[in-house]
Amino acid sequence: MWQSSPPGSIYDYIRVASFSIGPDGLIEQWSRRAAGLFGIAAHEAVGRDPVETFMPAELRTGGHRRVGEILDGKEWTGLVPFRMPGEDAVHGLAEVYVMPSETESGEPAALCIVVDVRALRCIETDLAASQAIFGQSPFGFVLFGTDFTVVRANQRFATVFGGQAADHRGRTVDDYLARPEAERLTATLRRVLETGDSVTDLQLVGTAPGDTENHHWSMNLYRVHSGAGRPIGIAGLATDVTRRHIAAREAASARRNLALLNEAGARIGNSLDLETTARELLGVAVPGFCDLASVDLYQGLLTGDEAPPGSWGSLHHESVGGSAELRRVAFASAVSDVLPATASDSTSTDGATDPPALGAVHRYSFNSPCSMALRTGHIEVVPGDDCGFVQSTLAVPMVAHDTVVGLVQFSRTKGSEPFGERDRALATELAARAAVCIDNARLYRREHERALILQRSLLPPGDPEAAGLDIACRYLPGNTATEVGGDWFDVIELPGHRTALVVGDVMGRGLRAAVAMGELRTAVRTLALLDLEPAEVLSALDEVARGLGTPGVSTPSDGLGGAQWPSRASHKARDADLSEVYLATCVYAVYDPVTRRCTFANAGHLPPVVVEPGEPALLLDVPPGMPLGVGGEPFEEVEVELKEGALLALYTDGLVESRDHPLDEGLQALRNALIEPELPLEDVCDHVLTTLDTRHGEDDIALLMARIQGLPVDAVGDWRLPREPRSVARARELARRQLLAWELDDLVDTTELLVSELVTNALRYGEGEIRLRLLRDRTLVCEVWDAGLVQPRRRRARDTDEGGRGLQLVGLLSAAWGSRRTPRGKTVWFELPLPDGEPAAERTVEQLLSMF
């Protein structure tokens, strides 16, 4: 069937032309292609001599001879230079094929086929270049036809996929790649053919014949056109990039591991809590490093056992029955909420062999990989079960300071990349970092618990009681992340039914702060028993605080069984090492229930709060002074008379200060929380703690609240006696009468005897007017005041002495006795317990003889 020559025919590309020569040797027919080749129209060429028209003058003789030979019936092929009409220079070279022919009348003629030699040379060059590139390239070249079958492949392509280059003709992509990759490549070929858009670096994965390892190829695809621009196929250039892919994968793995280590350094060990640290480790590992992970810690470590190394995991320690008890403290999964299959080699405490649940206590069997890792301290690789979905597991012991504290298991599921050497090194590093953090958390928890025990042991036991005061207190320690602080409070009974209220805070945290707090609290109690004024107590306490930070300095006793004061040498040593200085704040208040007066002294502490009935809460204006340990500044006292039913609150900064709001706001919030002081005192404390935004856990909180309840008027007997001998009898009479009015008949004789002794001493050794006061509350207190400054001193009388046994008698018959200075002299007092209905114990012979 005849049809038109399609565009892009080879004849178009090589520019084939034709013309014919008649019997007379002149051009008889002139094709359109000849007109295009020579640039001469048909009407200009027909009837002309081709030799005279196209050939140079020097070649015309030979040309005529050749034409004559052709007309004689001889074929000829040759190269003929030609020139364009009207020009002298030769413009081209034609390859002419002359074939003799005959006219209708039988006369000789010739048919001439002309090809432009220049077009032929271009074709030869293009073919040579194409063959060189296609055949000699070190890359795999393949040409797909429009039906996506291989039209041509070079030898490099055949070397990879077998056979000779010609053997691949007619194959499809399914012959080289697995179905998913083949479908992806076919779709790409179709898109390139349809759109003409080239594709670069198409990544393909497959296996070469006879090879089991996957190869990675990078393929560039572009559409191929004919000379006329018609698409005739898709060319592909394939490069094996397997090594580059492996190198890139290793580089990416190294970057990932480095990023994981950086993340581990930032995220692991921030909480100082064992379980939280384990969860932080898994938060880094899953899913960035593995698909499943779990952490087991030794049960002895979690329970705080202070056992010697080896009890829960020193290296090379062996247990005949398997590993020691462990507890699963953390588990993480990126694929499902199931446990790793490798955990099945453990046995729970109840005998079950299923994988341990979170929080379960279990053991690993002796021959299991996990037990081996725990014993040797080396990582063990556990292959997955064919029936399970875990590909492999790394059992990594957690080693800190040559002690195994637990085991972490990293698992990857089937389909994930298997663990390599880099992964094992990374797993060991992650486990080691977490182990150090866990061991630090264990040590910190031990120190924190010890400090907390010490701190709590130094606080007042139970609910403190005091004459004329209803007291409630709260102490909330900080959490394990903030360490133990140095907050303390105390309620100290003083002579005369007075009470000292103390609240303090040692700056800093930890065991050292708790120890410093204990020393200061002991010093406060000792100084309070000396019955010093509040400002004097703080001054002496400041000296104690300045000596706390000086190691190895002996402090001589004051000789009275009280505090031990730092020496001058300790001050010099302290100045040489300011880093050891302890600073503390403290408020010290002394309340007298008879007068309802309270004397305050403050060493850099927050001001007390007072709420009087029907009035808003007020911050007492007590000069703050310098913190304890600074030294060099005196402390001032402020005396305040408190109304009956008033509420007094002493507290530490943890109650009102936090990083989220300024101190002024916290103090105002405290005042606002004390709007109902008439509620029961315990309820007031709870209301304050629940109302204020204390951010509990950031700091210790100490709160001491007292409601003022002065002694009733009928519970006080107060008399002034002239300085004369008859005042002794008068004092006995007044005491007898008061005790009978109080229905304390059982105490009359003892009280009369002791009152007479104290009044007699005041007459003999004292000065000025004598004052006698009896106070009845939980005990009976008798006080004798005079203006003398000489303090009484108890001594043992010799057998020949007629006196000197009065204070011995007071010490024997009273529950307690003592003396204290007053602004205008001294006070000597004794205390008797109130009768409880039981007969008084008889004195022993030794006790009675000790008075003589």
Side-chain angles (χ1 to χ4, degrees):
M1 183 177 64
W2 295 91
Q3 62 180 7
S4 300
S5 177
S9 169
I10 187 63
Y11 300 107
D12 293 333
Y13 192 76
I14 63 176
R15 302 175 67 183
V16 177
S18 65
F19 64 91
S20 63
I21 299 175
D24 56 0
L26 301 179
I27 297 175
E28 189 175 67
Q29 291 182 338
W30 189 258
S31 68
R32 293 179 180 178
R33 286 186 180 271
L37 176 63
F38 296 105
I40 301 174
H43 68 276
E44 296 177 339
V46 173
R48 298 183 62 181
D49 185 349
V51 175
E52 297 293 333
T53 302
F54 304 111
M55 297 185 67
E58 63 273 12
L59 299 179
R60 290 174 185 173
T61 301
H64 287 296
R65 185 174 58 253
R66 292 293 182 186
V67 172
E69 293 175 355
I70 292 171
L71 293 177
D72 289 338
K74 185 178 180 180
E75 292 188 358
W76 179 83
T77 301
L79 297 177
V80 178
F82 64 90
R83 61 178 177 81
M84 301 299 295
E87 298 184 9
D88 295 333
V90 176
H91 284 269
L93 184 66
E95 186 170 0
V96 182
Y97 303 89
V98 182
M99 295 171 288
S101 63
E102 293 181 355
T103 64
E104 294 180 358
S105 60
E107 294 179 294
L111 177 64
C112 300
I113 304 298
V114 182
V115 179
D116 189 350
V117 174
R118 291 173 300 178
L120 291 177
R121 297 294 181 267
C122 289
I123 292 176
E124 291 176 354
T125 303
D126 290 346
L127 288 176
S130 175
Q131 182 61 33
I133 296 174
F134 202 82
Q136 302 174 18
S137 172
F139 306 109
F141 263 105
V142 61
L143 179 63
F144 295 96
T146 55
D147 58 352
F148 309 136
T149 61
V150 176
V151 176
R152 187 178 180 185
N154 69 348
Q155 189 57 40
R156 176 59 181 170
F157 184 87
T159 301
V160 175
F161 291 100
Q164 298 298 317
D167 299 337
H168 294 272
R169 189 183 305 274
R171 292 185 181 181
T172 66
V173 294
D174 295 301
D175 297 319
Y176 305 106
L177 299 173
R179 178 174 295 274
E181 291 289 86
E183 291 177 350
R184 190 161 65 91
L185 177 56
T186 301
T188 305
L189 291 172
R190 181 175 291 108
R191 185 173 68 253
V192 172
L193 182 62
E194 292 174 353
T195 64
D197 296 333
S198 60
V199 173
T200 59
D201 197 22
L202 174 65
Q203 296 291 321
L204 298 173
V205 180
T207 56
D211 195 350
T212 59
E213 296 293 332
N214 276 338
H215 285 254
H216 295 260
W217 292 287
S218 172
M219 198 164 192
N220 298 330
L221 299 171
Y222 58 93
R223 191 168 67 182
V224 179
H225 305 86
S226 66
R230 178 173 58 89
I232 61 173
I234 304 101
L237 174 64
T239 306
D240 192 334
V241 293
T242 303
R243 292 184 179 179
R244 187 176 71 186
H245 181 80
I246 294 174
R249 184 175 59 189
E250 292 181 351
S253 176
R255 288 193 299 269
R256 181 200 64 187
N257 293 354
L258 182 59
L260 281 175
L261 289 178
N262 291 335
E263 185 181 3
R267 293 179 55 184
I268 298 177
N270 295 321
S271 64
L272 287 176
D273 178 77
L274 299 177
E275 290 84 354
T276 303
T277 301
R279 290 193 293 270
E280 290 170 346
L281 168 62
L282 300 193
V284 173
V286 179
F289 176 68
C290 61
D291 302 317
L292 299 167
S294 64
V295 175
D296 300 320
L297 297 180
Y298 279 107
Q299 179 71 355
L301 180 145
L302 293 168
T303 56
D305 293 346
E306 292 298 329
S311 295
W312 20 260
S314 287
L315 296 182
H316 312 298
H317 170 69
E318 296 185 359
S319 175
V320 175
S323 69
E325 288 187 345
L326 299 104
R327 186 195 305 172
R328 178 141 298 178
V329 297
F331 170 73
S333 172
V335 291
S336 63
D337 295 330
V338 297
L339 296 175
T342 55
S344 60
D345 62 2
S346 66
T347 304
S348 63
T349 53
D350 58 3
T353 58
D354 295 332
L358 191 63
V361 179
H362 62 99
R363 298 175 183 268
Y364 288 108
S365 59
F366 182 80
N367 294 323
S368 66
C370 293
S371 182
M372 181 70 70
L374 290 170
R375 289 198 307 272
T376 63
H378 298 300
I379 188 172
E380 293 287 333
V381 180
V382 186
D385 188 355
D386 293 338
C387 299
F389 70 99
V390 174
Q391 179 190 87
S392 62
T393 298
L394 298 180
V396 189
M398 306 176 72
V399 183
H401 308 114
D402 292 333
T403 299
V404 180
V405 299
L407 181 77
V408 57
Q409 298 182 68
F410 302 109
S411 300
R412 287 182 180 174
T413 58
K414 293 180 179 178
S416 299
E417 184 178 352
F419 289 114
E421 288 297 328
R422 292 179 183 270
D423 296 324
R424 287 192 282 272
L426 176 61
T428 302
E429 178 66 21
L430 289 175
R433 291 194 178 195
V436 171
C437 294
I438 286 175
D439 194 54
N440 291 339
R442 176 187 67 83
L443 295 175
Y444 173 80
R445 185 179 65 178
R446 183 186 67 184
E447 296 301 317
H448 183 272
E449 291 175 350
R450 290 178 178 178
L452 193 59
I453 292 173
L454 172 63
Q455 188 179 43
R456 289 176 174 172
S457 68
L458 296 174
L459 296 174
D463 296 328
E465 297 182 355
L469 291 176
D470 182 14
I471 296 178
C473 52
R474 294 288 187 275
Y475 175 74
L476 301 178
N479 56 33
T480 55
T482 58
E483 301 189 55
V484 171
D487 293 16
W488 91 93
F489 67 91
D490 210 345
V491 179
I492 306 171
E493 295 187 45
L494 300 178
H497 287 313
R498 294 171 305 130
T499 302
L501 304 175
V502 189
V503 170
D505 183 5
V506 176
M507 298 181 187
R509 299 184 183 279
L511 185 60
R512 293 167 60 84
V515 171
M517 178 271 287
E519 295 191 44
L520 291 178
R521 177 181 179 273
T522 302
V524 169
R525 295 189 70 88
T526 302
L527 294 169
L529 295 178
L530 296 177
D531 214 352
L532 302 176
E533 296 297 323
E536 294 178 328
V537 170
L538 293 185
S539 295
L541 198 62
D542 178 63
E543 291 290 330
V544 175
R546 286 193 287 166
L548 288 180
T550 305
V553 177
S554 60
T555 53
S557 172
D558 63 357
L560 298 176
Q564 293 183 331
W565 314 110
S567 65
R568 296 296 180 185
S570 71
H571 291 175
K572 295 180 181 179
R574 169 184 50 80
D575 294 337
D577 189 4
L578 295 179
S579 63
E580 296 292 336
V581 171
Y582 286 88
L583 298 178
T585 62
C586 179
V587 61
Y588 184 88
V590 175
Y591 171 69
D592 188 343
V594 179
T595 62
R596 294 199 311 277
R597 287 184 173 273
C598 191
T599 305
F600 296 90
N602 191 353
H605 203 77
L606 296 172
V609 178
V610 172
V611 187
E612 295 186 343
E615 300 292 336
L618 296 176
L619 298 176
L620 289 181
D621 187 13
V622 180
M626 299 299 291
L628 302 175
V630 175
E633 295 293 332
F635 297 97
E636 300 182 39
E637 293 180 357
V638 173
E639 187 176 67
V640 179
E641 183 175 352
L642 302 174
K643 294 182 179 180
E644 185 76 18
L647 192 64
L648 175 65
L650 305 178
Y651 51 93
T652 56
D653 57 358
L655 183 66
V656 295
E657 187 177 17
S658 77
R659 65 187 65 181
D660 298 325
H661 57 74
L663 177 61
D664 291 343
E665 293 183 7
L667 292 174
Q668 184 61 45
L670 174 60
R671 295 172 60 188
N672 296 337
L674 296 172
I675 57 176
E676 298 180 358
E678 68 279 358
L679 294 176
L681 205 54
E682 294 290 338
D683 294 342
V684 175
C685 285
D686 293 337
H687 177 71
V688 169
L689 292 177
T690 55
T691 302
L692 268 63
D693 184 16
T694 60
R695 301 285 182 180
H696 174 52
E698 293 184 357
D699 196 2
D700 291 5
I701 297 176
L703 175 62
L704 177 61
M705 305 191 74
R707 178 170 284 124
I708 304 303
Q709 298 173 348
L711 289 181
V713 177
D714 58 359
V716 179
D718 195 352
W719 306 276
R720 297 182 182 275
L721 303 173
R723 190 170 187 80
E724 53 188 33
R726 63 179 182 176
S727 293
V728 177
R730 176 62 178 166
R732 287 199 300 268
E733 178 62 26
L734 292 173
R736 170 181 288 274
R737 188 182 305 168
Q738 186 64 65
L739 291 181
L740 292 176
W742 287 341
E743 298 181 352
L744 299 178
D745 302 25
D746 295 342
L747 300 181
V748 170
D749 294 339
T750 302
T751 303
E752 276 190 293
L753 176 60
L754 299 184
V755 164
S756 64
E757 288 292 339
L758 295 187
V759 173
T760 299
N761 283 344
L763 288 174
R764 286 183 178 178
Y765 308 112
E767 300 177 7
E769 187 181 37
I770 299 173
R771 182 181 176 185
L772 171 65
R773 189 167 74 169
L774 295 179
L775 306 175
R776 185 198 65 183
D777 191 68
R778 290 174 297 156
T779 61
L780 176 67
V781 174
C782 174
E783 298 176 331
V784 176
W785 302 20
D786 68 81
L789 298 178
V790 179
Q791 297 290 323
R793 183 170 61 89
R794 182 177 177 179
R795 63 183 180 87
R796 178 176 295 277
R798 294 189 296 268
D799 295 343
T800 57
D801 291 342
E802 296 181 0
R805 296 179 176 84
L807 293 181
Q808 288 185 346
L809 186 64
V810 173
L812 178 65
L813 299 180
S814 65
W817 77 279
S819 66
R820 68 177 183 273
R821 291 180 298 167
T822 64
R824 291 181 297 275
K826 67 177 181 296
T827 298
V828 183
W829 58 272
F830 68 84
E831 184 176 346
L832 295 176
L834 298 182
D836 55 3
E838 297 293 333
E842 296 291 338
R843 302 290 177 181
T844 63
V845 176
E846 289 77 8
Q847 290 175 331
L848 295 175
L849 291 178
S850 66
M851 296 184 293
F852 299 96

